[in-house]
Amino acid sequence: MRRLELLDGFRGYFLVFMLLNHLPFAGGLLLAKANHAELGFVQDAQGFVFLSGTIIGLYYMRLMQKGRIGDMDAKLAARVRELYWYHAGLLLLILTMAVLLPRSPEIWGRFMHELFEQPAANAAASLMLLYQPAYMDILPQYMVYLLVAPLLLRLIAAGRGQEVLVGSALLWLAVQLGWHLPLTEGMEDLVRMVLPGFTLRGHFNPLAWQIIFVTGMLLGAAEVQGRLDWQRWFGPHRTDLAKLALALLGVFLVYKLALTYGWISGAPAERFGRFSDRTEFGAVFLVNFTALAWLVTWLVVSGQESTVRAAQVAGRFLNGLFRLRPLVFLGQHSLQVYAYHLVLVYALMALDGYAGPFDEDTKTLITLAGIASLGLPAWAHASWQERSKAKTAVAKPAQ
């Protein structure tokens, strides 16, 4: 399947801001405030997971329609293996850095202190995808989703997409109600029988976050099946939904600012906090993401045709932004860029620990250089792909 340029642009955008959000400089980073995450409860990981599901639905439903179910299963299994080796390689590299670099427990301790306290047990648990150091959550989560994707795609192809969506929503709701807690506690106790000192750790609960992956997969599959009515849901006339989305985003913006600057506290803040657990993808994150995702999609698809001047301007801007060649290029090599960004983040943590704290100008220059360097793994992977294609082309006439 030919890559959709716009989706790659979105992924490239998320990768840039993922790096920006993950740089933990002492004293914070002013540049990180120029960030959509400061305006609500939507962050890059949500978009990344949603787009991953969308692309799975687009690509593999097309294979199913061609009767290539065996190819689908084989490709998904191969992708899981590839992701696992990336995860294991990243873990090994970070552990090696932790052993070789002085003062590493002091510098990295708050991001993976369990590994320093019980290195053997938690390193083994990480290889089992049960323990993830900070920022290493997405690949294990994605592997789990890819393992169940063949079953879900078969159900969707059989016309049971509604059941898939209902099951996903019920699983999300079960996490919000805490029904998963006996399972996780039992899993911890069971693994500790083999690995004493083991800690079950992951910033994203995959049983909750699956709702955006599954929704994305359903939408991607519906597009391939011709069941997604773009005019009905995203036509220029849907200013009613645009107003609703803007109203919701306005509410979340007010809450974000109020919580950030201490305008609300006590019981009201505590009540809101019950629904804004990022780890378990609480209702605040789900509703905020849904509103923003719909609005951005509407602006990209129909904003330029709207009779509202502001929508026209926003539509042109977003279409231009997400089609920027550098962002598209990063998105086309998202796995390699994501892996590189993890290594870079841990390396810059060490730099900040040894040579910092830096002044704001220096932190900004380091950050901009880091963002620019994201093109290196993308370029390296693109070059490797070109060499592989060239070798294949040369080998074929000789056969």
Side-chain angles (χ1 to χ4, degrees):
M1 183 189 75
R2 185 183 174 191
R3 283 187 177 272
L4 296 178
E5 181 182 79
L6 194 64
L7 295 185
D8 284 328
F10 271 106
R11 291 202 294 186
Y13 173 88
F14 293 141
L15 286 164
V16 168
F17 278 91
M18 201 176 288
L19 174 62
L20 189 62
N21 286 326
H22 287 171
L23 292 177
F25 287 110
L29 176 65
L30 186 60
L31 185 62
K33 298 297 182 182
N35 190 332
H36 56 269
E38 297 293 316
L39 304 177
F41 300 87
V42 178
Q43 296 163 335
D44 309 289
Q46 293 149 261
F48 210 77
V49 172
F50 176 76
L51 282 181
S52 297
T54 303
I55 291 169
I56 291 295
L58 285 168
Y59 182 76
Y60 291 103
M61 185 54 66
R62 194 164 271 123
L63 284 184
M64 292 194 74
Q65 287 188 334
K66 294 177 181 178
R68 297 171 57 189
I69 297 177
D71 284 349
M72 177 190 76
D73 292 339
K75 286 176 178 289
L76 284 168
R79 186 61 167 173
V80 171
R81 288 193 296 271
E82 180 184 30
L83 293 175
Y84 182 82
W85 287 119
Y86 266 86
H87 174 76
L90 286 167
L91 177 67
L92 179 61
L93 180 57
I94 289 172
L95 287 177
T96 301
M97 292 167 66
V99 170
L100 296 179
L101 294 177
R103 295 171 47 212
S104 57
E106 174 189 338
I107 294 169
W108 292 340
R110 65 192 176 103
F111 298 97
M112 51 177 186
H113 67 89
E114 300 91 347
L115 267 173
F116 291 110
E117 295 166 2
Q118 297 287 342
N122 287 309
S126 187
L127 292 174
M128 296 164 61
L129 309 183
L130 297 176
Y131 176 91
Q132 286 105 45
Y135 311 133
M136 290 186 65
D137 311 82
I138 286 184
L139 292 186
Q141 179 184 3
Y142 192 31
M143 282 182 256
V144 172
Y145 298 158
L146 291 186
L147 287 172
V148 299
L151 171 61
L152 298 181
L153 287 165
R154 282 172 167 83
L155 291 173
I156 295 168
R160 299 177 67 181
Q162 288 186 351
E163 289 94 327
V164 170
L165 181 59
V166 169
S168 175
L170 289 175
L171 186 56
W172 173 84
L173 181 60
V175 172
Q176 308 312 306
L177 297 175
W179 293 358
H180 66 296
L181 295 176
L183 175 64
T184 56
E185 291 167 3
M187 182 184 296
E188 263 194 315
D189 292 339
L190 184 63
V191 175
R192 280 174 183 159
M193 295 173 63
V194 181
L195 298 173
F198 154 75
T199 301
L200 181 65
R201 170 176 167 158
H203 188 63
F204 303 133
N205 186 327
L207 300 180
W209 280 67
Q210 53 75 30
I211 193 167
I212 47 175
F213 179 88
V214 172
T215 302
M217 185 166 63
L218 284 164
L219 290 172
E223 168 65 11
V224 173
Q225 294 171 323
R227 295 189 295 105
L228 187 57
D229 190 341
W230 287 93
Q231 186 62 27
R232 177 184 178 186
W233 294 107
F234 300 101
H237 66 286
R238 293 317 307 253
T239 53
D240 54 340
L241 291 179
K243 292 174 183 177
L244 174 60
L246 282 170
L248 288 170
L249 294 175
V251 170
F252 291 123
L253 171 61
V254 169
Y255 265 99
K256 181 70 173 183
L257 295 175
L259 290 168
T260 299
Y261 295 103
W263 300 338
I264 60 172
S265 59
E270 182 182 348
R271 178 65 62 89
F272 186 81
R274 296 177 190 175
F275 303 100
S276 56
D277 187 330
R278 184 171 183 251
T279 296
E280 297 186 346
F281 203 62
V284 167
F285 282 90
L286 177 59
V287 176
N288 198 169
F289 175 77
T290 302
L292 184 58
W294 184 90
L295 183 62
V296 169
T297 303
W298 180 74
L299 289 170
V300 168
V301 172
S302 298
Q304 296 178 79
E305 302 172 22
S306 173
T307 57
V308 180
R309 177 63 178 167
Q312 295 172 7
V313 173
R316 282 196 295 271
F317 172 76
L318 291 175
N319 272 282
L321 173 65
F322 296 121
R323 286 188 168 87
L324 285 174
R325 184 57 197 161
L327 294 182
V328 172
F329 186 57
L330 293 180
Q332 288 172 338
H333 308 276
S334 57
L335 175 57
Q336 293 70 33
V337 175
Y338 174 78
Y340 169 82
H341 119 277
L342 280 174
V343 178
L344 181 61
V345 165
Y346 274 87
L348 290 179
M349 282 187 215
L351 177 65
D352 192 53
Y354 295 132
F358 299 109
D359 60 42
E360 199 62 45
D361 289 342
T362 303
K363 288 188 286 188
T364 299
L365 287 173
I366 293 172
T367 301
L368 293 176
I371 291 172
S373 74
L374 291 177
L376 295 175
W379 171 81
H381 186 244
S383 299
W384 176 82
Q385 287 179 319
E386 288 297 322
R387 289 194 299 271
S388 297
K389 288 179 183 177
K391 289 179 181 177
T392 302
V394 170
K396 279 185 178 179
Q399 293 177 353

